[in-house]
């Protein structure tokens, strides 16, 4: 497989984590977003919307969108699983993942931030305030959801979660870790998020998450 990605892209980071958890080898193909390499025909012609990541499967199909790629990997390489075995658990994990991928990430994407500064002529301080506001709001909602799920687990007689859901990393953790990385870059206040940060710390103790970190990527820039 080939993974076209950018080291700072949180969407790419999610897929790198999933590949690491699965222990799947792949060729790392860097696509530099800031230099607009994703708009060059060699890459852009592969996709309807030339974003990263893109995964080229062993049989030559090109897949887009990080959550779809991760679920493809989970279905084609089911061990270890990234979704719970039961329908309710799968729905809960998908909801957590989508709180980040669909609610927080889109309005803090690089192209959105560039539009704020380049087209709308907003200052760097305004851009940072935008990022901090929406990310903090989203993570506060994520924390509340983890709290509700913790109550459900307790009522069902289940042990407290070590990760976002349960005692193994899931799709939700694949999404959470990159979002925290970006939040730290933009100096978002992460105080008062004990369940969220505990899940992040548990994930970051694992080799698959460490190996997927942007600093470990061959195209990493300081």
């Amino acid at each position: 497989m080939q993974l076209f990605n950018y080291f700072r892209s949180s969407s790419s980071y999610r897929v790198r984590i999933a590949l690491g958890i699965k222990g799947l080898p792949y060729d790392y193909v860097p696509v530099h977003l800031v230099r607009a390499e994703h708009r060059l025909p060699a890459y852009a012609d592969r996709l309807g919307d030339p974003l990263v990541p893109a995964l080229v499967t062993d049989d030559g199909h090109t897949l887009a969108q990080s959550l779809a790629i991760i679920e493809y990997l989970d279905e084609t390489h089911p061990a270890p699983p990234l979704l719970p075995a039961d329908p309710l658990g799968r729905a809960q994990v998908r909801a957590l993942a989508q709180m980040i991928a669909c609610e927080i990430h889109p309005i803090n994407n690089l192209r959105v931030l560039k539009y704020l500064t380049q087209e709308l002529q907003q200052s760097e301080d305004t851009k940072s305030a935008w990022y901090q506001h929406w990310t903090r709001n989203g993570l506060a909602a994520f924390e509340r959801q983890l709290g509700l799920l913790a109550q459900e687990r307790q009522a069902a007689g289940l042990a407290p979660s070590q990760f976002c859901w349960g005692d193994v990393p899931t799709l939700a953790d694949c999404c959470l870790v990159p979002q925290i990385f970006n939040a730290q870059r933009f100096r978002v206040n992460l105080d008062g998020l004990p369940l969220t940060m505990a899940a992040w710390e548990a994930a970051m103790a694992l080799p698959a998450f460490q190996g997927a970190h942007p600093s470990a990527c061959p195209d990493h820039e300081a």
Side-chain angles (χ1 to χ4, degrees):
M1 291 184 288
Q2 289 181 305
L3 181 67
F4 291 80
N5 73 158
Y6 178 54
F7 74 101
R8 276 204 194 104
S9 159
S10 57
S11 299
S12 300
Y13 192 174
R14 296 168 195 158
V15 177
R16 295 197 303 268
I17 291 169
L19 287 162
I21 291 172
K22 300 286 186 181
L24 296 173
Y26 63 96
D27 292 330
Y28 186 110
V29 184
V31 179
H32 203 295
L33 297 185
V34 178
R35 297 176 192 151
E37 291 179 357
H38 58 301
R39 299 193 183 281
L40 298 175
Y43 182 73
D45 289 352
R46 294 173 174 271
L47 303 162
D49 195 0
L51 304 174
V52 292
L55 182 77
V56 178
T57 66
D58 289 330
D59 52 1
H61 294 288
T62 300
L63 303 178
Q65 292 295 328
S66 62
L67 297 191
I69 292 170
I70 293 172
E71 292 220 28
Y72 166 82
L73 293 172
D74 207 38
E75 291 172 4
T76 55
H77 301 83
L82 290 172
L83 288 167
D86 62 296
L88 179 60
R90 289 198 297 273
Q92 289 166 330
V93 166
R94 286 185 174 118
L96 288 170
Q98 290 172 21
M99 288 182 77
I100 293 170
C102 302
E103 303 296 339
I104 302 175
H105 176 248
I107 54 177
N108 290 317
N109 187 278
L110 176 62
R111 57 182 176 170
V112 172
L113 299 180
K114 287 178 67 175
Y115 188 81
L116 287 174
T117 55
Q118 295 180 4
E119 301 297 328
L120 300 182
Q121 299 295 303
Q122 299 299 308
S123 68
E124 288 295 317
D125 286 344
T126 299
K127 179 188 79 172
S128 294
W130 166 283
Y131 187 98
Q132 291 163 359
H133 171 79
W134 290 114
T135 299
R136 175 66 198 196
N137 274 12
L139 289 175
F142 191 86
E143 176 74 15
R144 291 192 296 272
Q145 186 66 17
L146 289 183
L148 293 171
L149 292 176
Q151 293 174 23
E152 283 193 29
R153 290 183 68 87
Q154 184 177 25
L158 298 174
S161 291
Q162 297 180 39
F163 296 90
C164 287
W165 177 256
D167 58 2
V168 294
T170 66
L171 175 63
D173 301 281
C174 293
C175 292
L176 174 63
V177 165
Q179 188 61 62
I180 296 297
F181 168 78
N182 281 341
Q184 291 171 330
R185 282 185 61 224
F186 281 88
R187 300 178 182 176
V188 175
N189 176 15
L190 297 174
D191 293 339
L193 304 171
L195 297 174
T196 300
M197 297 310 295
W200 173 77
E201 289 175 2
M204 287 307 300
L206 300 179
F209 288 82
Q210 296 166 6
H213 192 275
S215 64
C217 293
D219 58 335
H220 173 256
E221 299 171 0

